[in-house]
Amino acid sequence: MADNLKYLEREILNKVLNTGGDALKVDIDNVTLKTEGSDINIEVHLDKAEDSVVMFSHTVKTGTGGTSYVPLVDSDGHLQVDILSSGLPSGGATAANQATMITALQLIDDTVYADDADWTDGSSKHLLVGGLYGSNTITSGDVGPIALAADGAVHIDDGGNTITVDGTVTANLSATDNAVLDTIDAVLDTIKTDTQAVETATIATQAAVEKNLYGTGLVITALAGGGGGAGDQTLGATYQSLYVGVGGNVVVTLATSASDFTFVNVASGQLLPVQITHVKQTGTTATNMIALKG
């Protein structure tokens, strides 16, 4: 406590008043509060411009036997806190580890491509997709690795169905396999040639058969046996066949040679398959005849 004998009464009051002169100014260097059975509440009104309060923290929670320190703040008055332990691994919160994690995430992001993005040789990146060479049994709905052959090629099993491949398929065959394929190719060429010959012959046969299907007829009436008796009958075109109703001899002019020939004893109802241009009266005894063509 100040020695009042050093100051006059007025001077003593000036020493203990604040700058506003409306309250006592008290410097508290060290206060120990003790209570018995009840709490002590102290209400302190501070003048921000004039007053300050310094708080200390102690290294021992009981407040004795340790060291008191003033809490550390930065230039903005923010309280600085050291994290002594956390859920992160050792050094997990350091800037260096954070930079490493950011780099790892960026590398993963490099393998993601936007639609229509071009691949650049030497700089573009992709994720390696692994497979399995060996036995691996999975059932419907299971997730499993891609099956590989011994050389690392993807193994494909059609499961008894058909695999459709678009484009050209190149297979690496041995010399023996190629020789067998060459032989098969030669045989197929022969089959192709024979097939073309059969096709040509078939077309010719079809044309010949079609000639036996007649769509035009001409009744032979200019002969004595037919009731006309006017001499030879000119047909006006080449007819492919002659039907004989009542049998006998038939004299006709053949289309290609233009010569007359006699067909003896042609039976009744017979179809004479010859190309003719005339039916001759002299020597013809058969009657009821019809010339036919396609």
Side-chain angles (χ1 to χ4, degrees):
M1 182 174 179
D3 188 355
N4 294 332
L5 298 177
K6 293 182 181 181
Y7 305 98
L8 297 176
E9 181 177 314
R10 182 179 57 187
E11 291 176 326
I12 293 174
L13 290 176
N14 289 334
K15 288 290 184 180
V16 299
L17 292 177
N18 62 7
T19 55
D22 57 356
L24 292 175
K25 179 173 70 175
V26 180
D27 293 332
I28 301 176
D29 292 331
N30 188 11
V31 176
T32 300
L33 300 177
K34 294 183 178 180
T35 179
E36 295 181 2
S38 62
D39 295 333
I40 297 176
N41 296 323
I42 298 177
E43 181 177 350
V44 179
H45 296 273
L46 301 177
D47 187 341
K48 181 177 181 181
E50 297 292 335
D51 304 325
S52 64
V53 177
V54 178
M55 298 179 63
F56 290 88
S57 61
H58 204 275
T59 58
V60 178
K61 64 181 180 180
T62 60
T64 59
T67 303
S68 296
Y69 292 99
V70 178
L72 181 64
V73 296
D74 60 14
S75 59
D76 293 325
H78 300 146
L79 181 64
Q80 304 298 292
V81 179
D82 290 336
I83 300 177
L84 300 180
S85 63
S86 69
L88 295 175
S90 177
T94 65
N97 284 341
Q98 290 177 357
T100 301
M101 290 185 287
I102 291 173
T103 300
L105 291 175
Q106 289 172 340
L107 291 175
I108 296 174
D109 184 65
D110 289 344
T111 63
V112 178
Y113 287 84
D115 184 35
D116 292 334
D118 292 332
W119 170 272
T120 302
D121 187 22
S123 61
S124 293
K125 303 174 184 178
H126 65 277
L127 294 175
L128 178 63
V129 178
L132 173 67
Y133 169 60
S135 177
N136 182 38
T137 302
I138 60 176
T139 59
S140 177
D142 287 350
V143 176
I146 299 173
L148 301 179
D151 60 355
V154 177
H155 175 72
I156 299 177
D157 184 4
D158 65 359
N161 297 318
T162 300
I163 298 177
T164 301
V165 179
D166 295 331
T168 302
V169 178
T170 302
N172 296 322
L173 303 177
S174 65
T176 302
D177 294 330
N178 286 323
V180 172
L181 291 177
D182 290 341
T183 301
I184 294 174
D185 185 60
V187 172
L188 291 177
D189 287 340
T190 300
I191 293 175
K192 180 180 179 181
T193 300
D194 294 343
T195 301
Q196 290 173 341
V198 171
E199 181 182 7
T200 300
T202 301
I203 292 174
T205 300
Q206 182 179 1
V209 171
E210 289 177 351
K211 289 181 180 180
N212 292 325
L213 302 176
Y214 309 115
T216 301
L218 178 64
V219 178
I220 306 303
T221 60
L223 304 176
D232 300 339
Q233 184 168 344
T234 301
L235 305 182
T238 298
Y239 282 74
Q240 283 80 35
S241 185
L242 181 66
Y243 172 76
V244 178
V246 178
N249 298 337
V250 179
V251 182
V252 295
T253 302
L254 298 182
T256 302
S257 65
S259 302
D260 295 341
F261 290 87
T262 300
F263 294 87
V264 179
N265 292 326
V266 178
S268 298
Q270 183 177 347
L271 192 64
L272 195 61
V274 292
Q275 293 182 339
I276 59 176
T277 57
H278 298 77
V279 178
K280 300 293 185 174
Q281 180 181 7
T282 302
T284 297
T285 59
T287 59
N288 298 101
M289 294 181 291
I290 301 174
L292 302 170
K293 69 174 182 176

